[in-house]
Amino acid sequence: MTTLTHARAGFPQALAYEWIKFSSVRSLIWTTVATAAVPVLGAVFVAATRSLQPDDTVLGASLSLSVIAQLLAAVVGALLITGEYGTASIRTTFAANPRRGTVLAAKATLMAGVTYAVALPSCTLACLVGDAMLEDDRYGQGEPWPALFGIAASFAVAALLGLAVGTLVRHSAGAVSTVIGLLLLPSLLGPLFGGARRWIAGASPTAVLQKLTQTSDATADTVGSVGPWPSLLLVAGGTAALLLLAGAVLHRRDT
């Protein structure tokens, strides 16, 4: 019996179990598909309509709608666990694997891996589409490499942020509203904090995304003046801390 309990509570088994649940929920699958489709469709739309600023780069223009895709990734992260609370299947999950930290770690690993694997080819394809449809002599090219790796990482961080918020809130509507606010409000409220705006405005995956896409809208007032890679590290660290808090709260709850 002890051997069986440890086998069920192991991380590989938990990860496999989470993948089965994820792949069987249509809302999660279709939202993930939308996350992949939006950057490419956005690149086609922007290039076809030539709705660019003169100082935009091909990279920034091609990924104009990547912020929406990132929001969708965060929503998937939140719904990954709030959906289980909504159906009360979280009790079955914890009965199958009583190690709640292992369950949350498996969800986080799955979410980060799936989101990164979806975002990197999607954003790369969007850039290729934009490059093919836009006139290179009219707009600067931008530097897609290694920026695209960081862009995909910012999607994964957004998804993990959604998972952390969903674990804490447990209610789908509340979690989605909260995580969208965490993604968008720092850039909106940053200018109100005076000298601290370089930290406040850049304290979200969305701000990191805008910096890495090198869009002309990524001003110091809206996304902070800290560089894109340090911003990514700071936001990833903050998200990791929130996940640890969520894990501690999850451990202390009855369900």
Side-chain angles (χ1 to χ4, degrees), residues 117-134:
V118 165
L120 183 58
S122 170
C123 292
T124 301
L125 180 58
C127 289
L128 293 175
V129 169
D131 185 48
M133 295 182 66
L134 291 170

Side-chain angles (χ1 to χ4, degrees), residues 71-202:
L71 292 176
L72 291 174
V75 169
V76 174
L79 295 180
L80 184 67
I81 190 165
T82 59
E84 290 193 66
Y85 277 108
T87 60
S89 61
I90 194 71
R91 296 179 180 178
T92 303
T93 297
F94 290 150
N97 190 343
R99 296 180 178 178
R100 299 187 178 190
T102 301
V103 172
L104 185 59
K107 289 181 181 293
T109 301
L110 174 69
M111 201 69 264
V114 168
T115 305
Y116 192 93
V118 165
L120 183 58
S122 170
C123 292
T124 301
L125 180 58
C127 289
L128 293 175
V129 169
D131 185 48
M133 295 182 66
L134 291 170
E135 301 172 16
D136 291 339
D137 56 347
R138 284 192 61 185
Y139 307 102
Q141 185 67 31
E143 298 179 3
W145 306 106
L148 283 167
F149 293 109
I151 289 168
S154 76
F155 274 67
V157 171
L160 292 177
L161 182 63
L163 176 62
V165 171
T167 303
L168 292 169
V169 176
R170 295 189 290 179
H171 187 274
S172 293
V176 168
S177 300
T178 301
V179 75
I180 289 177
L182 289 175
L183 288 172
L184 298 179
L185 287 179
S187 295
L188 296 176
L189 300 180
L192 302 178
F193 289 86
R197 72 183 182 205
R198 66 192 303 265
W199 302 99
I200 302 298

Side-chain angles (χ1 to χ4, degrees), residues 7-43:
R8 290 192 303 173
F11 180 78
Q13 290 78 17
L15 184 59
Y17 184 44
E18 291 301 327
W19 168 251
I20 292 171
K21 289 189 292 182
F22 174 84
S23 59
S24 63
V25 179
R26 291 185 179 181
S27 60
L28 296 178
I29 293 297
W30 283 111
T31 309
T32 302
V33 170
T35 301
V38 166
V40 180
L41 295 176

